[in-house]
Amino acid sequence: MIKPELRRLSWRNPLHWLAVGFGSGLSPVAPGTMGTLAAIPFYLLVMHWPLWAYGLLLLAGSLLGILICDSATRAIGQEDHGGIVWGGLMGVGVPMLVARRGWQCVPLDFGLFRFFDVLKPWPIRWLD
């Protein structure tokens, strides 16, 4: 069941679709974790890109995320809603730099990202 405030999003608006991580943020259970899981196939596709291209992708996605998340936040009228998972999709890209050594590192990177995303120690809390 989709949370009532998320029903205010327009599924014709590509920014809203991106904000909820292609639908993964609509999960009634652990939407942040589902958003992070949704990111893994994309990172497996680009993990062998040159470091500069991979970094540029993360930077562009993060900067676009300001527009993406702002659009969805305005539509639902709630700051930092758990269903808006674009930040997690981009954020998991940082520890995935380690995964560039091989797909075997993905579970560890995923686990570390979720651990720090949930606890939010400094400086993560400040960045968030």
Side-chain angles (χ1 to χ4, degrees):
M1 175 179 224
I2 296 175
K3 294 179 181 178
E5 61 274 11
L6 292 176
R7 290 188 183 147
R8 297 182 200 136
L9 296 173
S10 169
W11 303 119
R12 292 184 178 170
N13 184 336
L15 297 178
H16 295 178
W17 187 242
L18 292 170
V20 295
F22 312 101
S24 61
L26 301 177
S27 172
V29 179
T33 300
M34 297 303 145
T36 305
L37 283 171
I40 290 174
F42 295 102
Y43 290 109
L44 291 174
L45 289 173
V46 301
M47 72 182 195
H48 296 294
W49 284 13
L51 185 57
W52 66 267
Y54 183 86
L56 190 60
L57 176 70
L58 287 179
L59 178 63
S62 297
L63 291 174
L64 283 172
I66 296 168
L67 175 66
I68 291 166
C69 295
D70 182 61
S71 175
T73 296
R74 286 181 192 211
I76 65 172
Q78 184 178 343
E79 291 278 327
D80 200 24
H81 190 280
I84 298 175
V85 297
W86 184 259
L89 269 84
M90 290 297 104
V92 74
V94 175
M96 288 293 180
L97 285 169
V98 176
R100 295 168 57 86
R101 295 186 202 145
W103 63 267
Q104 300 89 341
C105 296
V106 170
L108 176 63
D109 296 338
F110 170 82
L112 287 172
F113 177 78
R114 289 304 303 151
F115 175 77
F116 287 110
D117 190 37
V118 170
L119 287 183
K120 293 198 186 341
W122 188 90
I124 296 168
R125 187 175 324 143
W126 177 78
L127 290 169
D128 191 43

